[in-house]
Amino acid sequence: MLNDPQPLFDQFVSKARGYVESPGVMAALELDGLCEKLYPMVARKWEDQTLANLIRDFGRGLPRKTDEELRVLLEEILSLAGERGLYSSAAVG
């Protein structure tokens, strides 16, 4: 997992979806920590600064953005990741 961001990205997708459906303080803290680990890996290993920035913004937005704003940001992340071949809605529940 240290060399491959994919498992961490898949975990992010699952937790982010759960959060936008049912936000909570503990879930936000856990998701923020996950984003902090994931976005530098995406930038370094996948060489995708745009996707990395979106993931970073999602984590930073947890305490400030509304559920709908986060949902839109998550969809943007998933769309971009799908375009890059890094995410398939069939692969992640």
Side-chain angles (χ1 to χ4, degrees):
M1 181 152 99
L2 294 176
N3 293 324
D4 183 9
Q6 190 66 56
L8 203 57
F9 183 77
D10 294 344
Q11 185 180 3
F12 162 77
V13 170
S14 176
K15 290 186 180 296
R17 282 184 171 162
Y19 181 84
V20 296
E21 294 303 319
S22 180
V25 174
M26 294 307 293
L29 291 173
E30 186 176 346
L31 191 50
D32 181 54
L34 187 59
C35 290
E36 288 297 316
K37 292 176 190 171
L38 179 59
Y39 85 82
M41 289 179 71
V42 168
R44 188 173 55 254
K45 297 292 183 180
W46 286 344
E47 299 178 350
D48 193 328
Q49 194 62 50
T50 302
L51 182 59
N53 288 344
L54 289 171
I55 293 167
R56 183 196 63 216
D57 292 347
F58 186 94
R60 289 182 178 171
L62 287 168
R64 297 182 318 272
K65 294 187 184 236
T66 67
D67 299 344
E68 186 57 33
E69 289 172 315
L70 289 170
R71 184 176 282 110
V72 168
L73 186 53
L74 178 59
E75 290 305 317
E76 189 176 349
I77 290 167
L78 297 180
S79 176
L80 184 59
E83 289 172 12
R84 307 268 201 279
L86 305 171
Y87 168 77
S88 167
S89 58
V92 179

